[in-house]
Amino acid sequence: MIHPWVNFVVALPAEAKPIASYFELRRTTPDSGFPLYRGERISLVISGSGKVAAAAAVGWLAAHTQGRTNTIWINVGIAGHRERPLGDAVMAHTIVDRAAERTWYPPLAIQPPVDSITVKTLDQPATEYPTDEAFEMEASGFYSSACRFSTGELVHCFKVISDNRQNPVHGINARLVYQWIGEHLDTLSLLIGRLGALAEPLYASELPPELLDHYRHHWRFSSTQQNQLRQILTRWRTLAQSDLLWLPELRKLPDAKAVIAYLKEYVGALPVKLVRS
Amino acid sequence: MIDVIYIERELDDHPRVRAILERYPQATRVPCNRYTEVFNPKSQNFRLQKSRPALILARKHDGFVLDAPANYAIGGTRNHYFSHMLNCVYDCRYCFLQGMYRSAHYVLFVNYEDFASAIDAALASSGPGCAWFFSGYDCDSLALEPVTGFAEHFLPFFAARPNAWLELRTKSTQIRGLLGRAPVANCVVAFSLTPERIAHAVEHRAPSMEKRLDAMLRLAEKGWRLGLRFDPLLYQQGYREHYRQMFQQVFQRLSCAQLHSVSLGSFRLPRSFFRTLQRLYPDEILFAGPLEEHAGMVSYQKDLERQLFDFCANELLQYIPEEIFFPCQPR
């Protein structure tokens, strides 16, 4: 299995710390922007409270991770719900931004590891729980922004219940948040595993960057030619069902234009075998 | 299996919706205002959604009956199509729906009565004589029949309107409802077929050729009129042998007397759909084949397309008379 790229966005340091510890992320100190934790393929940014901060943190982290496509984005945070017990975890199948009067439906292309419910994003902390929904402050900003950098199936909001009718919002503290989030780290790992398995065909169909580097090392390709090269190599790999996408005779060719022309002819002559013998 | 069902709020009490929800008591129910909120957003990946499509229960508000595309005809001059459903339970790599829709969710329009009224209106406005109504354009007509009850609803409707012809187009074996009732004289159950080994490579989750032929035979025994749809024709090294074998296999079991019509069509997609499909499946051999673009459509290179088409047409005409052959000619 190819390990996916994962970006976490949380509002509070108390939400970040258990995740960072579990996934062995190291705190880095960027010159500006947001507090950031990084591992080999997992990043976590602390956005601060509110949907605007969450949206900004998503954009900032996307820029920091060079805008990789098909990244898994997860907003982990706390939320209130009228009757769900404290520490219960849910995912959003619907995100409602009450102020903006907008609704999103994150596609559930995997079996969610916890219940999925409607998450309502408010501009202020909720003190009442009028409907059977989770109330919080970041999801809409996070989701609308993250969907600019990845596909909706890989963008999810994971909320842990921090307050309800019996336990109002003023009882929340950092120690409790740390504890509640900490109780769901295996579940988060399971979620990442399922999303990674879902996205695997997308990762597998990407050409290895070192292959393109190899060509670029020998010839100078314009931006258009790089796209053409990528298309031809993808077609070659598909028809040949092989990752060996290099021919010794290419070395003799003088420039990128000649390479593309040669490859076009070579790949065009490959047999089409929908049916493997 | 359907795990998530989106339901337009105004349909909460619709009897068809209630019946479907009873069928899936464990499914997560998500209310929405309009199906387009779920189905149309940009940031969706058809390929990923296809691994776990949801069902969307919706009401259609307009455009119930549309003119069928040119060359879709099987003998009639007035041809319409109507889509009670968008998307399909099968995952055929050549299917244009992957390029047309952003979402792989199944949208079921439950207001069948409005479709029926629109069919009546189309029938009345098109004057005397027969009109055709094709139901399998944006979905498979029968694959979700146990859930939708589509044929169960529309077969009596068409049976009462002898000048309105219905085509049910399918790859499915969900024919129990049809076998349990008298055949409808103005209904053709048309099965799409592809050579078995090619189908195995590109028609994911669809019943095998043998199972489709079994279903056809059972329908024929009960007196249903059958259609064969060899569309799209797919190029593969050694395609002649694949198609020759398929025609032999089909006509060893079916006789011409059981067939209403046979049609043949080339592989072709609008350019924008093709680009979307290529982005979704960059590693798909079908899209890496000898294709070219002409007048906004992507199809096999002209000579190859003609060879493939002519070969299949000639083979077919060894088994069937020209009167029931409706080729959708390539360029």
Side-chain angles (χ1 to χ4, degrees):
Chain A
M1 178 176 164
I2 300 167
H3 291 289
W5 296 95
V6 181
N7 288 342
F8 283 110
V9 178
V10 303
L12 308 170
E15 294 163 339
K17 283 175 186 164
I19 300 171
S21 171
Y22 184 88
F23 291 104
E24 298 178 350
L25 312 180
R26 285 194 313 277
R27 174 82 188 244
T28 63
T29 47
D31 293 340
S32 60
F34 296 86
L36 178 67
Y37 289 83
R38 300 196 85 156
E40 197 180 333
R41 297 177 84 87
I42 300 179
S43 301
L44 180 152
V45 65
I46 304 176
S47 65
S49 292
K51 65 187 182 189
V52 174
V58 167
W60 182 84
L61 183 55
H64 255 258
T65 51
Q66 294 147 354
R68 276 189 298 265
T69 54
N70 303 320
T71 294
I72 293 167
W73 288 82
I74 304 174
N75 168 221
V76 181
I78 54 171
H81 188 279
R82 67 184 178 192
E83 70 235 358
R84 281 186 179 267
L86 301 186
D88 200 13
V90 294
M91 281 175 62
H93 61 49
T94 306
I95 299 167
V96 179
D97 186 320
R98 195 159 70 178
E101 296 183 345
R102 285 203 61 191
T103 304
W104 296 263
Y105 299 88
L108 298 173
I110 50 137
Q111 173 73 44
V114 294
D115 287 351
S116 61
I117 66 171
T118 296
V119 169
K120 193 167 267 183
T121 302
L122 309 175
D123 291 341
Q124 300 294 329
T127 52
E128 292 178 355
Y129 313 94
T131 49
D132 181 21
E133 295 164 326
F135 296 89
E136 56 76 75
M137 297 175 62
E138 287 81 32
S140 69
F142 161 80
Y143 188 79
S144 59
S145 185
C147 280
R148 293 178 184 274
F149 303 105
S150 193
T151 182
E153 293 76 15
L154 302 180
V155 179
H156 288 286
C157 294
F158 186 97
K159 298 288 166 180
V160 179
I161 303 304
S162 57
D163 48 290
N164 56 29
R165 277 179 178 160
Q166 278 71 48
N167 304 278
V169 69
H170 55 73
I172 301 170
N173 63 47
R175 186 183 55 79
L176 283 171
V177 172
Y178 185 99
Q179 181 192 321
W180 288 326
I181 300 289
E183 284 166 4
H184 293 288
L185 297 168
D186 287 342
T187 312
L188 276 175
S189 181
L190 180 64
L191 173 62
I192 291 169
R194 288 181 186 174
L195 291 171
L198 176 74
E200 186 156 9
L202 307 184
Y203 304 134
S205 60
E206 289 169 6
L207 287 174
E210 52 273 20
L211 174 70
L212 295 166
D213 288 345
H214 186 68
Y215 275 86
R216 283 193 288 248
H217 175 74
H218 284 85
W219 300 278
R220 188 181 172 139
F221 290 84
S222 70
S223 176
T224 307
Q225 286 171 329
Q226 286 189 44
N227 283 335
Q228 290 175 329
L229 177 68
R230 200 171 285 117
Q231 283 172 14
I232 295 167
L233 293 177
T234 301
R235 190 174 174 215
W236 184 0
R237 186 172 70 167
T238 302
L239 288 173
Q241 295 284 291
S242 165
D243 286 324
L244 290 171
L245 306 178
W246 177 258
L247 298 167
E249 59 265 39
L250 289 172
R251 285 187 196 280
K252 297 175 195 155
L253 299 173
D255 54 26
K257 190 177 170 188
V259 170
I260 287 169
Y262 189 91
L263 287 178
K264 254 187 189 168
E265 196 168 331
Y266 177 83
V267 175
L270 291 172
V272 179
K273 294 180 181 172
L274 297 169
V275 176
R276 299 271 141 199
S277 50
Chain B
M1 187 58 192
I2 288 166
D3 297 313
V4 181
I5 304 180
Y6 298 91
I7 308 142
E8 288 186 354
R9 285 191 175 86
E10 65 157 312
L11 295 173
D12 274 350
D13 293 326
H14 193 286
R16 221 162 265 128
V17 167
R18 276 197 251 155
I20 291 169
L21 292 179
E22 274 174 30
R23 199 182 166 88
Y24 295 104
Q26 304 298 325
T28 302
R29 300 175 186 184
V30 183
C32 63
N33 290 323
R34 290 282 287 126
Y35 82 91
T36 49
E37 294 176 329
V38 181
F39 196 66
N40 288 352
K42 271 186 187 167
S43 183
Q44 302 192 80
N45 184 300
F46 195 102
R47 181 176 185 172
L48 297 189
Q49 281 191 17
K50 200 70 189 168
S51 63
R52 193 174 184 254
L55 175 64
I56 305 177
L57 301 174
R59 176 187 296 282
K60 193 164 177 68
H61 292 265
D62 52 23
F64 295 99
V65 175
L66 301 167
D67 290 339
N71 294 328
Y72 211 73
I74 43 171
T77 53
R78 290 149 45 202
N79 299 295
H80 310 279
Y81 75 95
F82 66 109
S83 299
H84 70 292
M85 199 173 147
L86 311 178
N87 279 328
C88 175
V89 297
Y90 307 130
D91 189 16
C92 301
R93 196 54 65 244
Y94 50 73
C95 180
F96 74 99
L97 296 174
Q98 303 164 106
M100 189 159 76
Y101 299 133
R102 292 182 176 130
S103 170
H105 296 330
Y106 315 133
V107 180
L108 177 67
F109 298 115
V110 296
N111 49 326
Y112 293 172
E113 295 73 13
D114 293 328
F115 283 96
S117 301
I119 290 167
D120 271 338
L123 206 52
S125 69
S126 59
C130 292
W132 276 87
F133 295 88
F134 296 89
S135 73
Y137 189 69
D138 292 317
C139 64
D140 184 291
S141 299
L142 294 177
L144 264 186
E145 179 63 18
V147 180
T148 65
F150 165 74
E152 185 188 349
H153 182 89
F154 279 94
L155 285 171
F157 172 86
F158 277 91
R161 291 157 179 80
N163 59 335
W165 280 75
L166 171 68
E167 185 199 73
L168 299 171
R169 188 173 293 198
T170 192
K171 294 186 179 87
S172 159
T173 55
Q174 295 284 0
I175 54 166
R176 193 182 304 166
L178 276 64
L179 296 175
R181 56 160 298 138
V184 175
N186 51 324
C187 172
V188 174
V189 190
F191 283 76
S192 303
L193 297 175
T194 301
E196 193 151 28
R197 293 181 65 203
I198 297 178
H200 187 71
V202 297
E203 292 181 352
H204 308 291
R205 305 182 205 172
S208 67
M209 159 97 88
E210 279 305 311
K211 285 188 175 165
R212 287 181 228 178
L213 284 172
D214 288 345
M216 294 184 82
L217 281 170
R218 293 175 70 196
L219 287 168
E221 282 166 14
K222 291 278 184 180
W224 288 87
R225 290 168 184 255
L226 300 178
L228 290 172
R229 308 288 175 254
F230 301 105
D231 185 356
L233 298 177
L234 299 177
Y235 173 74
Q236 141 86 26
Q237 192 184 38
Y239 69 85
R240 290 179 178 83
E241 204 43 45
H242 287 276
Y243 277 94
R244 188 179 286 129
Q245 275 179 15
M246 174 179 68
F247 296 136
Q248 276 172 4
Q249 192 180 351
V250 169
F251 292 105
Q252 266 169 10
R253 300 193 63 190
L254 289 174
S255 81
C256 279
Q258 295 164 317
L259 294 175
H260 167 273
S261 51
V262 178
S263 68
L264 201 59
S266 301
F267 173 72
R268 68 279 183 203
L269 284 168
R271 177 180 55 185
S272 62
F273 292 9
F274 180 77
R275 295 278 177 256
T276 302
L277 262 63
Q278 250 188 340
R279 275 197 300 275
L280 285 172
Y281 301 96
D283 44 1
E284 172 56 54
I285 296 172
L286 181 64
F287 307 137
L291 300 161
E292 66 182 16
E293 194 185 313
H294 179 76
M297 298 294 285
V298 173
S299 55
Y300 288 123
Q301 291 163 6
K302 195 173 178 180
D303 290 349
L304 184 63
E305 182 182 47
R306 176 48 71 185
Q307 282 171 29
L308 177 57
F309 191 91
D310 288 349
F311 173 81
C312 291
N314 290 334
E315 286 289 311
L316 266 175
L317 288 169
Q318 292 177 30
Y319 299 100
I320 59 166
E322 282 206 44
E323 302 83 77
I324 64 164
F325 183 47
F326 299 97
C328 178
Q329 291 288 349
R331 287 168 288 160

